[in-house]
Amino acid sequence: MIKNFKQQALDYHAQPTPGKLSIHITKPTETQNDLALAYSPGVAEPVRAIAEDPTLAYQYTAKGNLIGVITNGSAVLGLGNVGALAGKPVMEGKAVLFKRFADIDVFDIEIDAANPQEFINTVVRIAPTFGGINLEDIKAPECFEIEQALHEQLNIPVFHDDQHGTAIIVAAGLLNALDLQKKSLEDCKIVCLGAGAAGIASMRLLITLGAKRDQVFMLDRKGVIHAGRTALNPYKFAFAIDTDQRTLEDAMKDADVFIGVSGANLVSEAMLKSMAPNPIVFALSNPDPEVSPELAQQMRPDVIMATGRSDYPNQVNNVLGFPYIFRGALDVRAHCINQEMQIAAVHAIKDLTHEPVPQEVLTAYKLDQLEFGKHYILPKPTDARLMTTVAPAVAKAAIDSGVQGLTD
């Protein structure tokens, strides 16, 4: 079965045309006059207009609906540093999702630059092409430096989806799970296994939403990140807490929430049993989670479980967020995607799960019914209401926080 799927995946990408993207013309090009308007001499008119007023690029070019999905290939899926070229299928896949779910056009850009400053310089130089930039599959801690530098230097949204996209979906699902388990974020002990881009961004966002920093136990390969650790980068050091807990086994005792963004099969039966009553487990490692849903539910019937997989309930899938976050940002020409916009996305996604599920979603998933509960804490990716719910919420937050670029 694995061999057949591997060949199926290769065939899918190769046939009938290599890759997953193509460019389509949006204007007539049938007559001599059409061609004169499309290129010389007609094209000179928008060139002159944009040279005089750069904002007119949004009116006369595709910039306003064009995202650059950009990587250096240093942290591709679970495959690691495979390089820029090998990351291209993933970037094309991201482009497909942008177009499919939010009708946003994409150029995928693979930059052969291991040095963060070289990467930053390249992106800054090509940024005028785009209305926004989605950074993808860049290893930590360099990803934090890169995103911050680009945010400071550019006047268009820059969004590292491996950080903030994951954090937004985790937060939306967790708030719903806490509601069902009758717990509050402020009172929870949270264990995060994995101190890379997704883990750090998720914990930052949860603290912004009300989690207590001294109740967040983050672990890397060396164990709990505690105040006695040395040689911590600044991003990990921000989560160093004063505790005598050192191992995952220590941290899991009486934990209300476990969030795994690390590797397969790292949570044992004993760890599950040691968690607080009515625990929440987000085991997000793909394709194999930190603990299987079957084992978690067997050991803890009171658990609410989420994974990153589509074949289990409660999939934490970034496609619930990034297409619509960018849609909302582009629609108001936002200069950035700020914290207010991210929090608006969290609540829009969270609240949508409380609404009746449309029949087309039930049909797509071969379900008779689906309603808010322990097996439905996040919307399904095919739910068309995400576009009409999340994008407007993000756009409104951009306007309310003063980062919109639209003029009368």
Side-chain angles (χ1 to χ4, degrees):
M1 183 179 296
I2 294 174
K3 183 178 179 180
N4 289 342
F5 183 77
K6 176 181 177 181
Q7 189 59 52
Q8 184 182 357
L10 292 172
D11 291 344
Y12 174 89
H13 285 80
Q15 301 168 2
T17 301
K20 300 190 286 284
L21 299 171
S22 65
I23 293 175
H24 295 277
I25 300 169
T26 62
K27 299 295 192 295
T29 55
E30 303 304 318
T31 68
Q32 181 180 2
N33 191 59
D34 290 340
L35 297 178
L37 292 170
Y39 198 56
S40 182
V43 75
E45 299 310 320
V47 169
R48 292 187 183 103
I50 294 167
E52 185 174 334
D53 179 0
T55 65
L56 291 177
Y58 287 92
Q59 181 174 339
Y60 295 128
T61 77
K63 176 184 175 77
N65 195 51
L66 183 62
I67 292 294
V69 173
I70 306 181
T71 191
N72 62 3
S74 59
V76 177
L77 298 178
L79 304 173
N81 188 358
V82 298
L85 182 59
K88 185 172 176 62
V90 183
M91 301 309 108
E92 288 188 0
K94 197 82 172 190
V96 168
L97 298 178
F98 268 114
K99 190 65 178 177
R100 161 66 177 81
F101 291 105
D103 196 26
I104 294 173
D105 296 322
V106 168
F107 290 161
D108 65 286
I109 308 291
E110 293 75 37
I111 299 175
D112 187 8
N115 179 279
Q117 193 57 55
E118 291 178 357
F119 184 92
I120 292 164
N121 292 343
T122 301
V123 176
V124 168
R125 291 189 176 106
I126 65 175
T129 304
F130 303 108
I133 289 171
N134 184 98
L135 300 173
E136 194 76 17
D137 290 355
I138 303 169
K139 68 179 181 179
E142 288 90 340
C143 62
F144 304 114
E145 174 190 346
I146 287 169
E147 186 192 41
Q148 183 60 36
L150 293 174
H151 178 76
E152 291 171 356
Q153 295 180 50
L154 299 178
N155 199 34
I156 57 174
V158 178
F159 187 80
H160 185 204
D161 189 50
D162 299 312
Q163 289 185 58
H164 311 298
T166 300
I168 287 164
I169 310 308
V170 165
L174 182 59
L175 291 177
N176 273 335
L178 289 168
D179 182 18
L180 290 164
Q181 299 288 52
K182 303 190 184 310
K183 297 187 177 189
S184 69
L185 186 60
E186 293 81 1
D187 297 331
C188 281
K189 177 182 180 182
I190 301 172
V191 174
C192 178
L193 180 59
I200 287 173
S202 295
M203 295 307 104
R204 283 175 172 173
L205 183 57
L206 291 179
I207 288 169
T208 299
L209 291 168
K212 298 292 177 57
R213 186 177 293 272
D214 61 359
Q215 284 292 91
V216 172
F217 292 74
M218 181 174 285
L219 295 92
D220 60 11
R221 289 182 177 87
K222 295 181 179 179
V224 173
I225 297 174
H226 59 85
R229 290 268 301 267
T230 59
L232 291 171
N233 67 51
Y235 311 102
K236 290 184 181 182
F237 182 76
F239 290 92
I241 60 173
D242 186 11
T243 179
D244 59 1
Q245 298 181 19
R246 297 292 182 265
T247 67
L248 179 60
E249 186 175 14
D250 294 338
M252 288 289 276
K253 182 173 173 53
D254 297 323
D256 298 284
V257 176
F258 169 81
I259 296 172
V261 281
S262 50
N265 303 316
L266 297 174
V267 174
S268 68
E269 296 181 11
M271 293 176 192
L272 289 168
K273 289 180 179 178
S274 73
M275 294 183 75
N278 302 316
I280 298 164
V281 173
F282 282 21
L284 306 181
S285 175
N286 257 325
D288 299 314
E290 286 79 4
V291 59
S292 73
E294 292 86 357
L295 179 60
Q297 288 158 3
Q298 179 184 349
M299 293 297 103
R300 295 300 301 260
D302 56 343
V303 74
I304 290 181
M305 179 84 188
T307 71
R309 292 177 52 144
S310 61
D311 53 347
Y312 290 106
N314 300 331
Q315 183 190 18
V316 175
N317 188 334
N318 287 16
V319 79
L320 298 175
F322 69 82
Y324 317 108
I325 294 166
F326 268 102
R327 180 75 277 159
L330 291 176
D331 286 347
V332 297
R333 298 184 197 169
H335 304 310
C336 62
I337 297 173
N338 60 20
Q339 191 171 84
E340 291 87 347
M341 295 160 74
Q342 294 178 39
I343 291 172
V346 169
H347 288 291
I349 294 166
K350 173 183 74 70
D351 293 346
L352 183 58
T353 320
H354 297 254
E355 301 295 326
V357 178
Q359 182 58 48
E360 55 266 27
V361 174
L362 297 177
T363 301
Y365 287 86
K366 299 180 179 179
L367 297 170
D368 295 326
Q369 64 177 18
L370 188 63
E371 60 185 18
F372 179 62
K374 67 183 298 184
H375 298 301
Y376 181 59
I377 59 172
L378 286 165
K380 297 295 187 182
T382 59
D383 195 329
R385 298 173 302 167
L386 287 160
M387 173 70 103
T388 56
T389 302
V390 180
V394 170
K396 182 178 185 301
I399 294 169
D400 291 346
S401 60
V403 298
Q404 85 281 9
L406 284 178
T407 58
D408 294 334

